[in-house]
Amino acid sequence: MSSSKPSSAAPLTRVVSFEEARHLVEQHAARVQLRDVETVELLASPGRVLAEAIVADRDFPPFARATRDGYAVRAADLAQVPARLEVLGEVKAGDWPEPDKCSVGRGQAVGIMTGAPLPSGADAVVMVEYTAATGGIVEIQRGVKSGENFVPRGAEARAGQLLLDRGRRLDHAGIAIAASVGKGHVQVFRRPRVAVLSTGDEVVEVDATPGPAQIRNSNSYSLAAQVQDAGGEAVRLAIAPDERGRLRELIEEGLGCDLLLLTGGVSMGKYDLVEQVLGELKAEFYFTGAEIQPGRPVVFGSCSKKYFFGLPGNPVSTMVTFELFARPMIEALAGMTPQSLIFLRAQLKSEIRTKTGLKRFLPAVLSGEFENAEVELARWQGSGDIAALARANCYVVIPPDRERIEAGEWVPLLMR
Ligand code: AMP
Ligand code: MG
């Protein structure tokens, strides 16, 4: 049995609404210092955050680019159709139609392929489907408007124009842009190191054989995965027992990282010591609870110039509070431009009855296909039920004033 005693260092209680809690985190996240920079190969950059702006090295497209296979023409020549035009030659992708050798005059056309430069004189491309060529003449069945079926030079971006700003997290689309301007390497921010500290006398490491009243430390692993997904590097610390001295040592170790995430020990129990120990370390608390379920006891503050979150130990609470509050802070520490949290919507499959007072994020299964998104709560045994969460693929978000939501209503969702 532990001999811990209550302490006077416990912080004042400050329980705020979900929105206020989220905004408090966002306000603090907006203040974090930008990180060190490193250069990585483009292929190693997905998920990394740009530390440099990427600008167009030339006009995009660099030439008026045909978007169809067919004939480059003067639209005015097709005012009356069918029309017969003299074929001067052909431009395929990669060819450069020198204006003195290949220029479309009145009554003339040039065969052209998708991706090829539009020859001078032409102002449209007519699709090959509407043409029939024989012996140097093409007969065209349909008219085109001037400007049709090609993209003018520089229409997508002008040389020197900003394409991706620093703070942008790279994905396949961003990488396509970097590649298109010739960047085989990009400058990215160093990933923030995020300490993950699980607490609890009952918690043992995954490779240990748990005693009859012990459980394995799943939170450190789920959190490490979430940290990585948010753009951070997880540093898993040893498990802290519900004992002040050792807990304090490990918290101090965790404060050596860029951010500290604790799980467990933030509820009202006699051995929930996290806030007390942080209080002894002169932490400042921005909130000590949010009106949400799961995850009401979540804590956010700073200590020794580092931010920390005390996430409730119940595994589903840990995962949900990470998504709602820790993720935007990690993204900011990773150098990302802040993103607001947006819920999607789906149609509820079966009625929900709940209690008012808390904003709820309940594990749910999104199904259906294409435009038909349906959602239904996962059956669960409460915030300790990891198996239910693994079956779920989203959370249904229920506002605090709703007691009953009928089947067929469009409800907000948080994907996971
Ligand atoms: P606490 O927030 O410390 O009151 O813990 C709430 C519940 O979460 C208890 O049932 C704990 O056993 C469980 N729990 C706490 N930490 C972990 C962890 N690291 N991994 C899995 N379950 C945990
Ligand atoms: Mg505990």
Side-chain angles (χ1 to χ4, degrees), residues 47-306:
R48 303 300 301 268
V49 179
L50 271 180
E52 61 174 330
I54 295 199
V55 295
D57 64 330
R58 54 181 184 158
D59 287 346
F60 279 85
F63 48 83
R65 182 185 64 212
T67 57
R68 302 280 187 211
D69 297 315
Y71 288 86
V73 297
R74 293 168 166 248
D77 284 348
L78 304 180
Q80 306 273 315
V81 282
R84 290 165 64 80
L85 303 176
E86 177 198 353
V87 179
L88 294 181
E90 179 184 281
V91 206
K92 56 186 193 334
D95 288 347
W96 181 247
E98 294 292 349
D100 53 336
K101 296 199 191 105
C102 182
S103 184
V104 179
R106 281 186 61 183
Q108 295 180 326
V110 168
I112 192 162
M113 311 299 146
T114 300
L118 193 74
S120 69
D123 66 350
V125 172
V126 62
M127 287 164 67
V128 70
E129 287 85 339
Y130 307 128
T131 67
T134 37
I137 299 291
V138 61
E139 186 173 287
I140 296 177
Q141 301 297 338
R142 280 208 196 176
V144 276
K145 290 198 203 82
S146 176
E148 226 174 303
N149 297 330
F150 75 94
V151 182
R153 175 175 177 163
E156 293 162 2
R158 287 278 175 206
Q161 191 177 320
L162 180 69
L163 297 177
L164 295 176
D165 212 346
R166 68 206 287 267
R168 167 76 174 244
R169 194 164 188 205
L170 287 168
D171 63 359
H172 57 278
I175 282 171
I177 288 180
S180 72
V181 303
K183 292 198 73 80
H185 291 81
V186 282
Q187 288 196 341
V188 295
F189 290 110
R190 175 176 69 75
R191 286 193 190 94
R193 297 177 76 239
V194 180
V196 173
L197 174 52
S198 284
T199 72
D201 282 343
E202 77 284 27
V203 183
V204 297
E205 264 316 337
V206 287
D207 47 6
T209 306
Q214 291 181 320
I215 51 147
R216 294 196 182 92
N217 179 11
S218 62
N219 286 349
S220 279
Y221 289 84
S222 57
L223 279 175
Q226 286 176 293
V227 164
Q228 199 179 338
D229 188 61
E233 187 186 309
V235 179
R236 289 189 323 105
L237 304 183
I239 297 164
D242 294 321
E243 182 271 311
R244 264 200 196 89
R246 180 70 181 134
L247 177 59
R248 183 178 170 137
E249 270 175 27
L250 286 164
I251 286 178
E252 285 175 322
E253 184 183 334
L255 290 169
C257 286
D258 298 304
L259 177 70
L260 168 61
L261 301 180
L262 298 115
T263 81
V266 290
S267 309
M268 298 302 287
K270 192 171 163 194
Y271 301 106
D272 289 325
L273 302 172
V274 164
E275 284 161 86
Q276 292 178 23
V277 169
L278 283 161
E280 286 165 17
L281 291 169
K282 306 264 179 301
E284 193 179 343
F285 291 84
Y286 307 120
F287 57 80
T288 61
E291 288 158 353
I292 57 170
Q293 193 248 336
R296 192 173 186 278
V298 60
V299 173
F300 170 47
S302 63
C303 188
S304 310
K305 301 202 168 113
K306 300 288 172 61

Side-chain angles (χ1 to χ4, degrees), residues 330-414:
I330 293 174
E331 289 176 349
L333 289 164
M336 247 177 94
T337 311
Q339 309 284 307
S340 47
L341 184 65
I342 302 172
F343 301 137
L344 306 177
R345 274 177 195 270
Q347 213 166 9
L348 194 61
K349 256 171 130 173
S350 33
E351 180 195 69
I352 299 177
R353 281 169 184 275
T354 179
K355 293 195 193 101
T356 56
L358 298 175
K359 188 155 193 142
R360 289 172 208 270
F361 296 85
L362 303 181
V365 179
L366 179 66
S367 60
E369 196 186 22
F370 304 132
E371 290 84 357
N372 304 311
E374 298 179 322
V375 70
E376 163 170 61
L377 292 189
R379 248 181 293 133
W380 73 326
Q381 303 299 318
S383 10
D385 192 347
I386 325 180
L389 195 79
R391 286 191 298 269
N393 55 11
C394 65
Y395 303 97
V396 164
V397 184
I398 304 177
D401 59 347
R402 293 296 299 271
E403 252 179 328
R404 179 168 174 210
I405 304 182
E406 276 173 55
E409 192 173 317
W410 287 83
V411 290
L413 297 186
L414 178 69

